[in-house]
Amino acid sequence: MEIAIIGAGPGGLTCARVLQKAGMPVTVYDADTALTARDQGGTLDIHADTGQIALADAGLTAEFAALARPEGQSKRMLDPSGAVVMEHLVDDDEDTAPEIDRAQLRGLLAASLAPGTIRWGHRVTEVRPGGEVVLADRPPITADLVIGADGAWSRVRPLLTPATPEYTGISFVEVRFTEVDERHPAIAELVGQGHMWANGDGQNLILQRNSGGHVRGYVGIRAELDWLARAGLGRADGRGGVVDANGVQALDTERVRAELLERFAHFAAPLRRVITDSEGDLVNRPIFALPAPLAWPHRPGLTLLGDAAHLMSPFGGEGVNLAMLDGAELAREIAAGGAPDEAVTRYETRMLARSGPVAAGANGAIKEFFEGGFDLADVPDFAEETEQWKANAAAYLAGREN
Ligand SMILES: Cc1cc2nc3c(=O)[nH]c(=O)nc-3n(C[C@H](O)[C@H](O)[C@H](O)COP(=O)(O)OP(=O)(O)OC[C@H]3O[C@@H](n4cnc5c(N)ncnc54)[C@H](O)[C@@H]3O)c2cc1C
């Protein structure tokens, strides 16, 4: 059986690894020209009850542990005056949801595959009924099973559902700092060992410590999708960016900075340094989500996993965890033998039932957080959450034994 996975993100790579471990042939196609062709974003917490189970199925627990940062789970919350309203410190032996850089996670998964499994520079433009995968500037390929692991703007999804991602009303502008302890001590103090949030009404500053002295974060705002265009920075491109008169993507970082500083004028000076001191471009990332819960009638020869199936807001940090668990579960079902179509149906039934409520919760949480200000009472009890993840993991594994 020819299996084609479209997308070498964490979900697609986990699926490929678990299939290969079971001796099944698989090829992964990705639009990127190489593993490191694009900046891979920030840090991800890998949960005991989802992502870590997938990594165990992939036989990569030790590789993950070697890179993971348990102390990165520490959290601080500040109010706009800079006062700390909550602090939660995590020891470096707490392994319930350790952090890892997204680039490191993708790298360790990619390195676990047989050479040549991933075909870089293969951009899928369309998938046709019958398993024909149309590629940009290359001949098409065919497969018995096409797995859409191609993220938010999946080219596989239109064959299964007309649903498309919708703007949540929240935009995140990326900030970054290198050699933070030496070059940006004020930022290093704000972020501590893990995460920092500073919350206003419809404004939120987020910092996250990554490996190698890097800090990445987001300036989150409740805003129209075309807020940059409305601020006079160019013509809206429909995805939160702006283009110039020639249709070329335009980004005037200093004007973006000035616009953000205006929106955060009532934040204390040390917090505003997140905006003033950020290095490089201030890239706008509007947060899109698929309608949730989402389901589709099963169609032989095709399926979806991860963001392609259930793109959700990042609140709750479940996106990558579910993507990896989807990938591992789908691979295990296929590798168990029997009719592939029945295996995929079993996977879809479980995956859709699991992801629907999680996505609906994450999409509701981001809207609530950015509307009407922040309520400390809404902050989860982290100790309770940790115990819940452990209990969920035990229940999931016990359920699988039966
Ligand atoms: C600001 C932000 C913060 C986040 N923070 C967290 C967090 O803290 N915790 C968490 O769990 N999740 C977080 N997420 C979500 C997380 O990044 C995603 O859920 C996760 O990466 C999904 O994995 P995936 O494999 O399904 O898709 P992706 O990681 O999106 O991978 C898709 C792959 O498909 C490829 N591709 C796309 N289109 C094509 C095409 N046409 N042809 C071929 N290849 C294609 C891409 O190059 C990519 O490699 C965050 C997301 C955002 C936007």
Side-chain angles (χ1 to χ4, degrees):
M1 183 169 78
E2 287 286 330
I3 302 176
I5 298 178
I6 315 303
L13 293 175
T14 305
C15 188
R17 164 70 178 175
V18 178
L19 283 170
Q20 239 171 36
K21 228 172 126 245
M24 310 229 17
V26 57
T27 308
V28 184
Y29 300 89
D30 199 283
D32 288 352
T33 52
L35 181 64
T36 52
R38 257 188 318 144
D39 177 62
Q40 287 299 311
T43 180
L44 300 165
D45 53 329
I46 305 300
H47 303 172
D49 61 347
T50 44
Q52 288 187 42
I53 290 175
L55 284 167
D57 288 346
L60 296 170
T61 299
E63 287 80 352
F64 168 69
L67 295 168
R69 290 174 281 105
E71 73 287 357
Q73 300 164 86
S74 301
K75 299 170 180 72
R76 320 178 71 216
M77 285 191 175
L78 281 66
D79 68 17
S81 77
V84 177
V85 293
M86 189 279 298
E87 182 133 37
H88 175 69
L89 292 173
V90 175
D91 295 337
D92 56 11
D93 58 356
E94 172 53 66
D95 59 1
T96 316
E99 297 281 334
I100 185 169
D101 291 5
R102 194 173 178 286
Q104 291 178 324
L105 177 66
R106 196 171 178 237
L108 85 84
L109 287 164
S112 75
L113 297 174
T117 305
I118 309 173
R119 308 279 161 86
W120 298 110
H122 285 63
R123 186 164 63 81
V124 173
T125 55
E126 187 190 348
V127 178
R128 297 191 178 137
E132 189 188 0
V133 179
V134 183
L135 296 160
D137 309 321
R138 292 176 188 274
I141 53 132
T142 52
D144 303 299
L145 176 61
V146 177
I147 299 172
D150 49 342
W153 304 100
S154 172
R155 298 292 177 134
V156 184
R157 190 169 55 226
L159 279 182
L160 292 167
T161 165
T164 50
E166 292 162 7
Y167 179 53
T168 57
I170 314 298
S171 286
F172 278 12
V173 177
E174 278 186 12
V175 290
R176 64 183 65 197
F177 307 87
T178 55
E179 297 175 53
V180 70
D181 298 299
E182 299 80 22
R183 296 179 57 194
H184 304 281
I187 296 291
E189 196 184 325
L190 281 177
V191 74
Q193 285 306 305
H195 300 252
M196 181 218 76
W197 290 272
N199 311 297
D201 179 3
Q203 300 103 351
N204 186 223
L205 298 173
I206 301 171
L207 292 175
Q208 300 178 321
R209 195 176 270 270
N210 290 231
S211 71
H214 289 234
V215 167
R216 303 184 58 131
Y218 307 98
V219 179
I221 51 173
R222 189 176 69 230
E224 304 292 338
L225 178 59
D226 60 353
W227 67 276
L228 285 174
R230 286 170 189 244
L233 272 76
R235 185 158 50 81
D237 70 357
R239 294 261 179 98
V242 279
V243 290
D244 64 18
N246 301 316
V248 177
Q249 207 79 25
L251 186 82
D252 184 336
T253 290
E254 290 318 313
R255 287 184 67 189
V256 177
R257 202 185 313 276
E259 179 66 21
L260 289 174
L261 283 170
E262 207 168 297
R263 287 175 185 253
F264 286 79
H266 57 298
F267 277 56
L271 288 170
R272 282 159 54 87
R273 293 187 79 149
V274 172
I275 301 169
T276 54
D277 297 7
S278 173
E279 300 169 16
D281 292 344
L282 290 166
V283 180
N284 183 37
R285 304 239 180 254
I287 305 296
F288 283 86
L290 281 166
L294 184 64
W296 56 83
H298 172 69
R299 189 162 175 175
L302 281 177
T303 194
L304 302 175
L305 63 78
D307 278 9
H310 44 64
L311 176 70
M312 66 188 75
S313 107
F315 268 54
E318 297 287 0
V320 81
N321 285 288
L322 291 185
M324 291 166 67
L325 191 63
D326 291 354
E329 279 188 353
L330 175 58
R332 283 170 60 97
E333 288 287 3
I334 296 168
D341 204 40
E342 286 172 19
V344 173
T345 308
R346 279 196 300 277
Y347 153 76
E348 284 178 344
T349 305
R350 194 174 326 125
M351 178 274 288
L352 292 171
R354 175 176 57 221
S355 59
V358 176
N363 298 344
I366 196 170
K367 287 191 178 137
E368 213 172 285
F369 196 76
F370 277 86
E371 265 163 30
F374 156 76
D375 187 350
L376 202 53
D378 291 338
V379 178
D381 180 322
F382 297 118
E384 221 170 72
E385 194 177 52
T386 298
E387 288 314 308
Q388 191 60 52
W389 279 328
K390 286 182 189 162
N392 290 350
Y396 178 94
L397 292 171
R400 207 154 80 168
E401 296 306 312
N402 300 324

